[in-house]
């Protein structure tokens, strides 16, 4: 029970951004990685809150789950769940959302050959958690990178002022979205401002979640 007495907040899954009462913009995140992280935290004795986008996954034992749909709802739920000792942002949050949600179904008209949607930026949950007065001691982000993994991941550590980032090695066979396996490159800030690095996997997401929690515990004790 190495996290006994600590509070861990995890976000997981996709967000759905509604266009009208029947349509939305979503993504292929399964939520499995974030659910595995929440399960690992709870097994270690942390009071664990899981903010879940729309997924069909059972709630891990000992985890308090709050279901949300949109990026805006996830933002509110995560900030309401603070203060916490650790925040892990494993959700695939939409970066853009429709400027307006139509109150009735959008109809096509005769001769219409295109539909233009205007999307606006969503709030950056991870960055807002990192700049909050109740900032957790350890703020962890995820990133999906196809090229220059180290360069972009290190850049996000700085830009979002977070303590650790787990970059999905997109393109590794059988890993990533919708898969039970994944491969991560994890980067973290050392006390002397150096950047630590470890490659995890390819391995089942449950195994990776435990390895990531080991790294988070090391940072909490550093
Ligand atoms: N994130 C967030 N709120 C958003 C968007 C992303 O909290 N509105 C978090 C995700 O939960 C994840 C991390 O930010 O932890 C991903 O960072 P982001 O810069 O969005 O990554 P990419 O989508 O990979 O970025 P880019 O578009 O720069 O490739």
């Amino acid at each position: 029970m190495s996290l006994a007495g600590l509070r861990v907040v995890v976000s997981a899954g996709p967000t759905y951004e509604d266009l009208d009462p029947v349509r939305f913009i979503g993504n292929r995140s399964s939520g499995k990685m974030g659910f595995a992280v929440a399960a690992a935290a709870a097994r270690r004795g942390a009071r664990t809150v899981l903010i879940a986008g729309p997924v069909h996954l059972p709630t891990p034992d000992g985890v308090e789950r709050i279901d949300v749909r949109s990026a805006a709802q996830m933002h509110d739920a995560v900030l309401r769940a603070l203060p916490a000792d650790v925040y892990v942002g494993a959700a695939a949050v939409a970066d853009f959302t429709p400027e307006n949600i139509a109150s009735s179904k959008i109809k096509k008209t005769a001769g219409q050959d295109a539909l233009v949607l205007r999307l606006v930026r969503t709030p950056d949950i991870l960055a807002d958690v990192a700049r909050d007065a109740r900032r957790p001691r350890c703020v962890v982000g995820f990133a999906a990178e196809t090229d220059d993994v180290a360069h972009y991941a290190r850049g996000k550590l700085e830009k979002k002022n977070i303590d650790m980032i787990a970059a999905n090695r997109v393109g590794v066979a059988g890993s990533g979205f919708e898969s039970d396996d994944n491969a991560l490159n994890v980067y973290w800030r050392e006390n002397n401002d150096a950047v630590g690095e470890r490659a995890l996997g390819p391995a089942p997401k449950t195994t990776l979640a435990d390895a990531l929690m080991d790294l988070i515990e090391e940072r909490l004790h550093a």
Side-chain angles (χ1 to χ4, degrees):
M1 301 299 257
S2 47
L3 293 176
L6 299 190
R7 181 172 165 92
V8 174
V9 176
V10 182
S11 64
T15 63
Y16 286 179
E17 309 302 318
D18 288 334
L19 287 167
D20 70 13
V22 297
R23 305 185 181 95
F24 61 87
I25 298 172
N27 66 69
R28 286 164 51 193
S29 167
S30 66
K32 285 176 185 165
M33 190 68 223
F35 274 59
V37 169
R43 278 197 306 274
R44 291 165 191 232
R47 285 176 295 124
T48 307
V49 181
L50 173 61
I51 318 286
V55 293
H56 296 283
L57 290 174
T59 306
D61 283 345
V63 169
E64 179 195 340
R65 173 177 181 168
I66 298 167
D67 286 313
V68 297
R69 180 172 174 85
S70 65
Q73 288 172 3
M74 186 172 279
H75 182 265
D76 288 354
V78 168
L79 284 151
R80 262 202 307 274
L82 300 182
D85 299 283
V86 177
Y87 172 66
V88 182
V93 186
D95 289 319
F96 294 93
T97 192
E99 186 170 39
N100 300 300
I101 304 176
S103 55
S104 47
K105 188 181 166 208
I106 300 168
K107 302 293 281 180
K108 60 186 170 306
T109 52
Q112 180 184 12
D113 59 5
L115 173 69
V116 176
L117 291 174
R118 188 173 153 80
L119 307 179
V120 294
R121 280 296 288 270
T122 56
D124 189 325
I125 302 167
L126 192 58
D128 283 354
V129 167
R131 67 167 75 97
D132 196 273
R134 301 157 299 167
R135 186 191 195 285
R137 276 193 288 149
C138 190
V139 178
V140 183
F142 271 75
E145 307 290 356
T146 49
D147 312 285
D148 282 337
V149 177
H151 173 74
Y152 286 118
R154 284 161 177 263
K156 280 176 195 173
L157 271 183
E158 292 303 319
K159 203 174 64 193
K160 300 201 186 198
N161 184 31
I162 58 177
D163 302 289
M164 183 180 288
I165 189 150
N168 287 299
R169 298 208 294 273
V170 177
V172 175
S175 74
F177 281 154
E178 292 170 347
S179 168
D180 287 332
D181 287 19
N182 204 359
L184 299 175
N185 284 79
V186 186
Y187 304 86
W188 62 88
R189 262 200 262 225
E190 307 268 5
N191 292 342
N192 59 6
D193 262 0
V195 175
E197 170 178 1
R198 185 149 335 145
L200 304 177
K205 287 177 177 174
T206 49
T207 307
L208 290 178
D210 258 313
L212 187 65
M213 285 313 303
D214 286 341
L215 290 174
I216 290 170
E217 280 196 35
E218 277 176 36
R219 297 324 303 153
L220 287 172
H221 296 134

